Amino acid sequence: MSGVRKQVLQILPGLLFLFLISLISGILMPRFVRLLPSSLLLAIPTAFLAFAETLVMISGEVDLSLTGSLVLINAVAVSAYTDYHINEFLFVAVPLIVGLIIGVIHGLLVAFGRLNSFLVTAGTSFAWSGLALVILRQPRGNVPLWFAEIFSTGKILGIPLAALFALIASLFWLLFSLSPLALKSYAVGSSPKATFSFGINVNRVKFYAFVLNGFLIGMAGLIMTGIVGSGDPRLGGFSTVLAVLAALIGGATFAGGTGNGLGAFLAAIGLQFTRNLIAWVGVAHYHLDLFYGAALLVLIAGIAYLRRSREI
Amino acid sequence: MRSKLNKLKQRFQAKGKSLLPFGLVLLLLLIGQFFSPGFFSLSHLTHILTLAAPLGIMAIGQTFVILSGKEDVDFSSGANASLSIVLTAFLLQRYNHGITILIILTVGFIFGLMNGFSVRVIGIPPLIMTFCSSMLLYGVGQAITRGMSIGTSTPVLTFMALGRIAGIPVAFLIWMGSTILAALVLHATIYGRWLYAAGSNPMATHLAGISNKVVGMVAYALSGTLSAFAGLLFLGRFSIPSGFRMAEIYTLPCIMAVILGGTNFFGGEGGFTGSIGSVIALTILDSFFTIFNISQAWRTVMYGLLLVIILIFFVRREKLRI
Amino acid sequence: MGTWKIVKWKKAFGQVEALKELSFELKPNRIYGLVGPNGSGKSTFVKAITGLVKLDGGKLFKDDCEVSIASPKHAWALGISAAYQDLSLVPNLSVKENLTLIAKNLARLRGSNHAALLQEFHTILDTLNFTAPTSSKIGHLSRREQQIVEIAKALGSGPSLLLLDEPTSFLTERDIERLFDLLRQMRSNTTVIFVSHRLREIFLICDEVIIIRDGKTLATLDLRDVSINELVKIMSGGASITWESVRTEVTSSRDTESHYFLAEVEARRVNKIKVMLKKGEILGIAGLVGHGQSEFLKAIYGIIPSRKRVELDGKPVIIDSPSQALRYGIVYISGTSSETTLPHRSIRENISLVINGLKSGFSLANIVSERQLASAMVSSLGIVCRSVDEPLRYLSGGNQQKCVLARALSLAPKILLLDDPLKGIDTVTKAQFYKLIAEAAKNAAILFYSSDVEELLPIVSRVIVMYEGTIVGEFTGAEMTRENILAAALRGGKE
């Protein structure tokens, strides 16, 4: 089936990148393999963000609110539990619900409001991170005990968490690719006008892309909250840029119409490993961001250069 | 008849776009006066102009970038200014003002040129590139503040930022002087013509033998230089640099000011006059936040919302069904 | 059953009134031709009835019931489908994916099975001899193959109203035969509107013809009652007289020196072409659209990569970019306004663009000389505007194109490369253009490519016909007729 072959080809860049970085890390860093389960788990939130970003980029838009959204989700979840003593099992649903709400808001603004997606999400990023600060005021709070334990042991019912989440992501991508929404999203991202002429509601497709994106950000938020174990309004850092870069490696472009969620997922893990590698190389911690930023820049430049259109 | 009315409406909209911010300023001043008597006084107004100047200078650079093309925007303005703050404080310990200012402007120029080159020659989308270069700029700033001792502002800088000449804030004079120079470049030089053309239609510009690449690179370089220059005023105002991200919060307002001031986000249309009003309006808004004692967190939220509101009125995708 | 009534349709794009008061009736089971000069509103009509363009006014009646079309979805639901002139397909997706999207959407609207619909699409592709695998991306297909997919998309849906906008420009003779057979079969269930410039085809396949001009219906005629020549006369409304005089002017002013301009080009879609022109000569370039004509001109101008040898006035010139070409006095204009106009900038700026491009970036702009230049151009070219400081988009399409021409003429060019510059221009403006081009030719040589052979004949002294990047014919004098040119253009087809 040519569909499977196409998928494999698309996932390849991300997979190769991850493999390469793992190989280098494995050679240079003595404890790489032993630390693998935890470093994998730490990378999963960003991986979900990359997946989320890909969905949006396929349909021709972009989401720059990832850092802010992540922080807000964390804040709301932790606050709901710590301040309002929400039911422990409901707690797991909170990040997903907040993520969905954020997705819906973005969807309404960009798809139906016809606002420019990168400016709008840049703006909402501020709004969300500000709200997170309002809710938490400072790093504090806690999560249900059983929840924190799962993440500190890194296993649930004996299954390594990272593997479980990777499986969930793969399933999600499978479901998406097989759904009618997928083809429509690629079409909308490539040629909105032609797709419109087919009688397809372009705005609705973009809206759904943002809603799914919100849900996946919710997943990332859920996992991140589990890892950190409390609320921290300063979370995030490079998340947005990492997610976008991973999406690019996964085949997405700013023009829209291409991209692979799984490829981005894997690429994000690779990028996180890259950061660990740079940290290990021994740069002083206040130089870390500088080198990492430079490394990311080189990667982006490489991708952009390879893809540049021969035009003006 | 209907077409005549349409034409009239179009002309009014064109003029109205750059007048809107000034109307907004008036409105905000009146609201401020209502809640806090003395708001609409000459002394307070001059104070506002002092505060607005650095942002205004950053907005001039941002205008050049936004005018130059469809997606062009400079998200590294705040980072550039931030680096300039710490770098200036650092350099002033060793060199005199002349050399320091020269170095600062050169650094800003180089980072701006790097942005322009990456965007126009290598092909990295402006958003991503300027975002990344802001990370680099903060990284450099971080390296400077952690490793070495930083100085403070000097009387000269403080005078530039906060002083007055015949009752008029020096900072405001510097801002207006920069605006006039920039306006001359935009309207009286051939480069200005190229800039407007490149922003309007890159293909047509290319066909006319003009290099979009050069136009873009110069625009980004100008933005970098002006942002660095703004950093000098920031240092003069704040006296002691508190960290390497001091001017970070000014990046988004800088962009908002340019859009609110009537410059078309997609390039090719706009100028500096509207930005003057919108920068003042945003500065007044910021002082509202201080008066009403709004926390930093809520301020960020409001700026985010403000951006969305501005976008609703100024930057919308065209309909699919015309 | 199956009657449609278009009543007083109005549509304006800014200043340009594309449809003024378009009205006509369609009876069932007939094939209508829709003809009219460039810019008469044909494509706007097609887009409006399929929901891509929103009307400013007017009504539509299907079977005497008023219907409104608020989006393409409505149009599909009403049984309206179209094959667009500029194609409406997603290039990044495959043929199958494109058709699947449409099939699924249609099936949902009709409550039927999409597999059957998809099968119908494939059947039509087969009938029209589409041989490429359906997994190929649309963007990788040849223009002819893309056109076939576009047509299949429209026909396969079993529409009650089918619109075909210039469907045959890229098809071979055999393709066209097959298409017409299909249309005749469909006649019992479908009303067809066939929009085309090719009057012979109109006469072959249509029962009636609707003539529109300037956004209004001029006449609806039964094709048994009228001949081709009479049709042409009605359409052009007497402008042909002016064209004759233009041509004689040009031929009489030709020099007899050795060649003034030589270009030998090899580029994408151009297989080693060599042309030589004398000073004062206007060379026409003809052929089916997309056979390298545009690329040839672009290659000379340095916009696309190529291997070439160019000589001007006996001296070799190197052109790697437009700025170099301009320095030699070689200017290029195209008819695609999205490539040439700066809509929000003033007329003055638009006209002065090239002159400003040649100056140094550091030098001062001279608004006085810009105004002078613009005013001079406005009066000599007959540009209708209030002031040269108005934004260009306030002008009509024809006037905007005149500004683009003015820009080219502002340099007093030695070589003018015209890449289909009259596309979509109304007849009156076209006649004015001819005068201007003839005037410019006095001190220059001009290469003039047009997708419409009729546009070339009045003004050129010689025509070369291109097919798949090579010159397959050259005509001059008495042999330079539409029939000969068309025959040469189609001769390359290997069927």
Side-chain angles (χ1 to χ4, degrees):
Chain A
M1 201 168 74
S2 72
V4 176
R5 191 164 151 267
K6 211 166 70 164
Q7 282 292 327
V8 170
L9 276 174
Q10 285 179 349
I11 299 180
L12 218 50
L15 190 61
L16 279 177
F17 175 65
L18 177 57
F19 183 71
L20 199 65
I21 295 292
S22 304
L23 199 63
I24 299 178
S25 303
I27 295 175
L28 291 180
M29 293 164 60
R31 304 196 311 179
F32 177 70
V33 180
R34 197 148 40 97
L35 287 175
L36 204 52
S38 61
S39 48
L40 264 176
L41 188 58
L42 283 171
I44 297 286
T46 317
F48 270 102
L49 287 181
F51 189 164
E53 184 70 54
T54 304
L55 288 181
V56 166
M57 285 178 79
I58 288 176
S59 68
E61 303 290 346
V62 75
D63 181 0
L64 296 182
S65 74
L66 299 176
T67 317
S69 303
L70 197 64
V71 164
L72 179 62
I73 291 173
N74 168 262
V76 172
V78 168
S79 170
Y81 183 69
T82 319
D83 303 331
Y84 298 96
H85 308 294
I86 190 179
N87 176 300
E88 290 196 358
F89 296 100
L90 219 56
F91 171 82
V92 179
V94 170
L96 299 176
I97 296 177
V98 176
L100 275 172
I101 295 177
I102 292 179
V104 167
I105 294 178
H106 287 160
L108 287 175
L109 288 173
V110 174
F112 296 113
R114 286 183 290 122
L115 300 186
N116 180 294
S117 64
F118 69 78
L119 285 179
V120 161
T121 53
T124 55
S125 185
F126 271 77
W128 302 154
S129 52
L131 268 178
L133 207 54
V134 167
I135 295 176
L136 284 182
R137 293 194 192 287
Q138 58 182 336
R140 65 180 180 88
N142 39 42
V143 302
L145 216 54
W146 58 269
F147 191 68
E149 267 198 27
I150 293 178
F151 280 90
S152 57
T153 57
K155 284 199 192 310
I156 183 170
L157 303 177
I159 311 172
L161 271 183
L164 182 65
F165 287 132
L167 193 65
I168 294 179
S170 309
L171 272 172
F172 203 85
W173 177 250
L174 186 68
L175 284 175
F176 172 74
S177 321
L178 294 177
S179 75
L181 183 61
L183 191 57
K184 287 185 196 171
S185 303
Y186 283 108
V188 163
S190 305
S191 322
K193 280 226 148 149
T195 315
F196 180 58
S197 80
F198 290 174
I200 293 173
N201 191 327
V202 167
N203 291 337
R204 209 186 291 171
V205 171
K206 290 194 179 189
F207 178 74
Y208 288 145
F210 273 99
V211 171
L212 287 177
N213 161 281
F215 180 77
L216 288 169
I217 298 180
M219 282 294 297
L222 175 66
I223 301 170
M224 177 66 100
T225 306
I227 293 174
V228 175
S230 66
D232 189 347
R234 299 163 313 176
L235 282 177
F238 289 137
S239 298
T240 308
V241 179
L242 282 180
V244 170
L245 183 49
L248 290 176
I249 298 178
T253 60
F254 288 99
T258 51
N260 187 302
L262 265 186
F265 191 86
L266 296 171
I269 300 178
L271 286 174
Q272 201 70 7
F273 283 4
T274 311
R275 185 188 168 88
N276 299 343
L277 195 59
I278 294 181
W280 181 85
V281 166
V283 293
H285 118 88
Y286 49 85
H287 286 306
L288 177 60
D289 280 354
L290 180 57
F291 279 98
Y292 194 34
L296 291 180
L297 207 55
V298 169
L299 265 170
I300 294 176
I303 295 179
Y305 186 72
L306 290 173
R307 286 196 192 156
R308 76 194 184 292
S309 51
R310 273 132 217 305
E311 238 198 39
I312 30 176
Chain B
M1 186 58 213
R2 188 154 175 259
S3 61
K4 275 200 178 153
L5 227 66
N6 268 333
K7 258 197 175 166
L8 215 68
K9 188 170 149 214
Q10 275 174 332
R11 270 169 214 273
F12 182 70
Q13 271 179 343
K15 289 268 154 65
K17 261 187 167 181
S18 48
L19 290 179
L20 172 71
F22 293 102
L24 208 61
V25 170
L26 206 60
L27 183 67
L28 287 173
L29 285 174
L30 289 171
I31 296 177
Q33 175 69 13
F34 178 72
F35 281 102
S36 169
F39 201 85
F40 205 152
S41 67
L42 194 61
S43 65
H44 190 235
L45 277 171
T46 7
H47 181 58
I48 289 179
L49 291 179
T50 319
L51 292 179
L55 183 61
I57 295 177
M58 283 167 71
I60 296 176
Q62 185 73 246
T63 307
F64 275 113
V65 171
I66 292 184
L67 277 177
S68 70
K70 243 185 142 214
E71 307 178 320
D72 291 275
V73 65
D74 189 354
F75 262 91
S76 66
S77 307
N80 218 315
S82 301
L83 175 60
S84 169
I85 295 175
V86 293
L87 195 58
T88 311
F90 173 70
L91 289 172
L92 279 175
Q93 293 179 306
R94 289 160 178 68
Y95 305 108
N96 66 28
H97 284 91
I99 297 192
T100 303
I101 294 184
L102 203 61
I103 297 180
I104 294 299
L105 292 182
T106 311
V107 169
F109 178 81
I110 292 178
F111 269 101
L113 199 60
M114 180 184 80
N115 278 336
F117 182 79
S118 309
V119 168
R120 287 307 175 100
V121 178
I122 300 183
I124 303 178
L127 180 68
I128 294 291
M129 180 59 211
T130 53
F131 209 84
C132 283
S133 71
S134 74
M135 288 186 333
L136 277 177
L137 284 159
Y138 288 133
V140 175
Q142 189 177 26
I144 293 180
T145 52
R146 289 309 177 89
M148 345 216 177
S149 70
I150 300 293
T152 64
S153 170
T154 60
V156 174
L157 282 183
T158 313
F159 177 69
M160 269 171 59
L162 299 172
R164 309 247 170 119
I165 295 183
I168 307 177
V170 177
F172 180 70
L173 288 172
I174 296 178
W175 175 19
M176 287 301 114
S178 312
T179 307
I180 293 176
L181 274 174
L184 275 174
V185 169
L186 188 58
H187 296 292
T189 63
I190 293 291
Y191 172 74
R193 297 285 195 267
W194 293 358
L195 185 63
Y196 274 126
S200 292
N201 189 338
M203 186 50 164
T205 311
H206 176 68
L207 287 176
I210 299 170
S211 166
N212 285 296
K213 296 190 169 97
V214 168
V215 170
M217 287 198 284
V218 172
Y220 280 98
L222 283 172
S223 178
T225 316
L226 284 164
S227 298
F229 185 55
L232 292 171
L233 289 180
F234 279 129
L235 179 60
R237 189 205 302 180
F238 296 128
S239 258
I240 306 176
S242 60
F244 56 90
R245 286 182 184 249
M246 282 194 80
E248 185 178 21
I249 47 164
Y250 289 102
T251 308
L252 215 49
C254 175
I255 298 172
M256 290 199 286
V258 174
I259 299 177
L260 194 54
T263 301
N264 189 333
F265 180 71
F266 300 110
E269 252 188 308
F272 304 111
T273 9
S275 306
I276 297 177
S278 54
V279 164
I280 296 177
L282 287 174
T283 310
I284 297 178
L285 200 64
D286 201 52
S287 69
F288 271 8
F289 291 153
T290 320
I291 290 178
F292 292 120
N293 225 334
I294 303 198
S295 68
Q296 185 60 35
W298 275 117
R299 287 192 204 202
T300 336
V301 178
M302 292 198 174
Y303 270 119
L305 289 178
L306 186 62
L307 180 57
V308 175
I309 294 176
I310 291 179
L311 289 178
I312 292 179
F313 290 104
F314 286 86
V315 188
R316 299 183 75 180
R317 235 177 18 238
E318 69 162 14
K319 287 194 189 163
L320 282 167
R321 184 163 178 260
I322 44 176
Chain C
M1 261 312 291
T3 54
W4 299 83
K5 256 199 271 245
I6 281 95
V7 179
K8 293 197 179 163
W9 282 19
K10 279 204 251 291
K11 177 65 188 178
F13 295 107
Q15 297 293 97
V16 185
E17 281 184 271
L19 301 176
K20 285 212 183 103
E21 272 215 359
L22 192 67
S23 303
F24 54 83
E25 257 183 62
L26 299 168
K27 298 180 214 104
N29 309 332
R30 312 206 100 195
I31 301 182
Y32 288 87
L34 184 61
V35 301
N38 270 329
S40 50
K42 307 190 292 280
S43 287
T44 309
F45 164 71
V46 172
K47 289 190 181 147
I49 203 168
T50 53
L52 285 179
V53 158
K54 185 168 144 186
L55 289 175
D56 297 331
K59 296 187 197 211
L60 176 65
F61 293 90
K62 179 182 178 183
D63 298 329
D64 295 319
C65 280
E66 187 175 350
V67 293
S68 74
I69 301 184
S71 73
K73 200 163 89 161
H74 283 188
W76 284 105
L78 283 170
I80 304 174
S81 74
Y84 298 96
Q85 186 177 22
D86 312 327
L87 300 184
S88 200
L89 299 167
V90 182
N92 268 350
L93 298 181
S94 72
V95 176
K96 185 153 183 213
E97 287 170 330
N98 271 274
L99 295 174
T100 306
L101 277 172
I102 299 177
K104 283 195 170 166
N105 211 46
L106 255 186
R108 202 151 38 89
L109 282 174
R110 295 178 182 174
S112 63
N113 180 353
H114 85 266
L117 211 48
L118 202 55
Q119 185 53 46
E120 190 55 40
F121 284 140
H122 281 105
T123 312
I124 303 220
L125 283 178
D126 284 335
T127 316
L128 290 175
N129 203 20
F130 181 81
T131 47
T134 52
S135 57
S136 342
K137 286 197 182 166
I138 298 277
H140 292 164
L141 297 174
S142 72
R143 187 67 179 79
R144 167 188 167 265
E145 290 167 327
Q146 291 172 340
Q147 188 73 50
I148 295 180
V149 177
E150 178 78 13
I151 293 174
K153 170 191 85 170
L155 266 68
S157 63
S160 43
L161 178 60
L162 172 68
L163 297 112
L164 300 169
D165 194 349
E166 304 281 358
T168 55
S169 319
F170 294 94
L171 301 181
T172 64
E173 289 282 325
R174 287 276 291 277
D175 294 329
I176 299 176
E177 266 174 46
R178 294 199 183 103
L179 172 63
F180 285 1
D181 282 336
L182 270 176
L183 291 179
R184 288 186 195 104
Q185 284 169 31
M186 289 175 72
R187 201 199 256 130
S188 48
N189 289 321
T190 311
T191 309
V192 180
I193 298 186
F194 184 79
V195 182
S196 181
H197 271 130
R198 299 172 161 202
L199 299 180
R200 260 176 327 125
E201 288 169 14
I202 300 267
F203 272 84
L204 265 177
I205 187 71
C206 303
D207 306 314
E208 288 183 37
V209 68
I210 303 167
I211 310 173
I212 69 175
R213 196 168 77 198
D214 294 328
K216 287 202 279 255
T217 324
L218 216 52
T220 309
L221 304 167
D222 192 315
L223 282 174
R224 290 168 297 191
D225 303 335
V226 72
S227 75
I228 280 199
N229 290 322
E230 290 173 324
L231 192 58
V232 173
K233 232 198 216 151
I234 301 176
M235 276 172 56
S236 52
S240 41
I241 310 167
T242 334
W243 296 354
E244 282 304 318
S245 62
V246 172
R247 178 150 26 138
T248 12
E249 265 185 62
V250 173
T251 20
S252 60
S253 69
R254 251 176 70 190
D255 286 272
T256 43
E257 297 164 5
S258 55
H259 70 258
Y260 177 65
F261 179 70
L262 177 145
E264 199 172 348
V265 175
E266 196 180 331
R268 188 179 67 117
R269 297 227 180 112
V270 181
N271 288 329
K272 247 198 166 168
I273 293 204
K274 180 172 170 182
V275 294
M276 294 194 287
L277 278 82
K278 298 190 166 50
K279 194 169 185 179
E281 188 172 356
I282 302 180
L283 175 68
I285 306 178
L288 297 176
V289 184
H291 283 254
Q293 301 94 334
S294 185
E295 283 81 359
F296 173 54
L297 294 175
K298 286 184 170 146
I300 296 177
Y301 193 56
I303 328 174
I304 61 175
S306 64
R307 271 184 305 259
K308 62 178 183 278
R309 179 167 71 102
V310 179
E311 280 179 24
L312 182 59
D313 224 352
K315 292 184 288 261
V317 299
I318 313 259
I319 302 174
D320 289 323
S321 73
S323 55
Q324 286 176 330
L326 286 169
R327 270 170 229 281
Y328 286 119
I330 302 176
V331 184
Y332 166 93
I333 6 174
S334 89
T336 318
S337 65
S338 62
E339 284 182 350
T340 50
T341 56
L342 312 174
H344 294 279
R345 306 311 310 167
S346 63
I347 297 173
R348 166 179 56 84
E349 271 177 86
N350 270 276
I351 295 182
S352 316
L353 188 63
V354 169
I355 292 209
N356 284 339
L358 287 175
K359 296 189 183 170
S360 150
F362 292 110
S363 60
L364 295 175
N366 189 337
I367 199 172
V368 171
S369 68
E370 279 180 7
R371 282 218 183 97
Q372 279 175 346
L373 172 66
S375 306
M377 285 295 170
V378 161
S379 52
S380 63
L381 268 65
I383 300 174
V384 180
C385 70
R386 274 238 286 272
S387 105
V388 294
D389 292 313
E390 265 191 336
L392 189 76
R393 64 197 165 99
Y394 285 3
L395 266 53
S396 76
N399 280 309
Q400 288 190 20
Q401 192 64 359
K402 280 192 197 171
C403 290
V404 174
L405 183 63
R407 183 194 295 167
L409 296 176
S410 67
L411 273 186
K414 298 207 178 95
I415 302 289
L416 210 48
L417 304 168
L418 302 176
D419 190 350
D420 216 0
L422 302 179
K423 202 158 52 177
I425 304 291
D426 63 279
T427 10
V428 175
T429 313
K430 229 185 255 196
Q432 292 171 321
F433 260 88
Y434 285 142
K435 278 225 167 91
L436 299 165
I437 296 175
E439 187 65 37
K442 288 194 179 143
N443 288 315
I446 301 182
L447 280 87
F448 182 2
Y449 159 58
S450 172
S451 52
D452 187 350
V453 173
E454 310 283 355
E455 281 177 6
L456 291 176
L457 294 175
I459 194 173
V460 303
S461 44
R462 185 163 55 108
V463 170
I464 58 169
V465 182
M466 282 177 66
Y467 185 86
E468 281 183 357
T470 25
I471 299 180
V472 294
E474 184 171 330
F475 303 98
T476 186
E479 292 178 331
M480 200 171 69
T481 63
R482 212 192 83 257
E483 287 73 28
N484 285 350
I485 295 172
L486 249 114
L490 298 169
R491 198 186 301 148
K494 298 255 168 61
E495 287 211 278

